Amino acid sequence: MTTSSEAEIRALLERRHTAHQAKDLDLLMSFYTPGIVCYDAVAPLRFTGTEEVRRNFARWFDGYEGPISLQTHDLIVRVDGDLAFAFMLHLDSGQRKDTGLQAAVWVRETVCLLRTEGGWKIIHEHVSIPFDLTTFRPWLPAEKDDRPV
């Protein structure tokens, strides 16, 4: 692992974070390869290609009245040659349009990256919400280190 590659990826993820919070679709999509495959916490099972991923981000942005607060926690980056991955937790919060409520949810994310001529690009993203195996309902902890009862 090279420290400069890790620093580049951390900087990319920070710029991506800024794009999320600003709801800047054009900037956000600049971090993804044309062949991006995204497994999100919402249906359908996967979003393939920049057009589908862009529509999914637009849907997410549109669900919030005003800005989205997205706090990243426990970020770990691993690099091996031209491939890298990062995994982290996010606290996604803001005022929801559908309910008008201020809501927050913890999600898990893994991002896979490829070094291209233009720099690091995201080739795969996976976002998930844990669920309770006994009820098959989402498990929504108040704090990131809570444990299910």
Side-chain angles (χ1 to χ4, degrees):
M1 173 174 75
T2 65
T3 347
S4 65
S5 291
E6 181 177 340
E8 289 170 17
I9 291 166
R10 286 178 179 275
L12 178 147
L13 294 173
E14 184 60 35
R15 290 189 314 273
R16 184 186 67 143
H17 179 166
T18 300
H20 283 143
Q21 291 190 302
K23 297 182 182 180
D24 186 336
L25 277 171
D26 291 332
L27 177 60
L28 182 58
M29 294 312 300
S30 73
F31 303 115
Y32 295 88
T33 63
I36 177 68
V37 175
C38 179
Y39 297 156
D40 201 347
V42 298
L45 289 176
R46 76 178 157 265
F47 298 89
T48 305
T50 53
E51 289 308 310
E52 283 187 15
V53 170
R54 183 184 188 90
R55 280 192 300 273
N56 186 45
F57 279 127
R59 176 216 42 85
W60 180 47
F61 292 167
D62 193 49
Y64 286 87
E65 193 68 52
I68 297 171
S69 174
L70 190 65
Q71 300 172 16
T72 300
H73 296 262
D74 303 340
L75 173 62
I76 296 175
V77 176
R78 297 288 184 257
V79 180
D80 188 358
D82 291 337
L83 292 173
F85 70 94
F87 48 95
M88 65 214 82
L89 299 172
H90 293 296
L91 180 59
D92 175 345
S93 62
Q95 185 175 341
R96 300 289 306 174
K97 279 186 181 176
D98 53 354
T99 63
L101 297 175
Q102 187 75 18
V105 62
W106 283 98
V107 297
R108 305 172 289 198
E109 182 181 25
T110 302
V111 175
C112 302
L113 303 102
L114 176 68
R115 187 190 332 254
T116 68
E117 288 182 15
W120 290 98
K121 296 286 185 177
I122 299 170
I123 60 173
H124 177 70
E125 187 170 86
H126 188 135
V127 178
S128 66
I129 297 173
F131 70 95
D132 181 333
L133 279 173
T134 60
T135 64
F136 286 97
R137 292 189 177 169
W139 176 66
L140 303 171
E143 300 293 331
K144 72 178 179 71
D145 294 321
D146 283 355
R147 299 285 182 239
V149 178

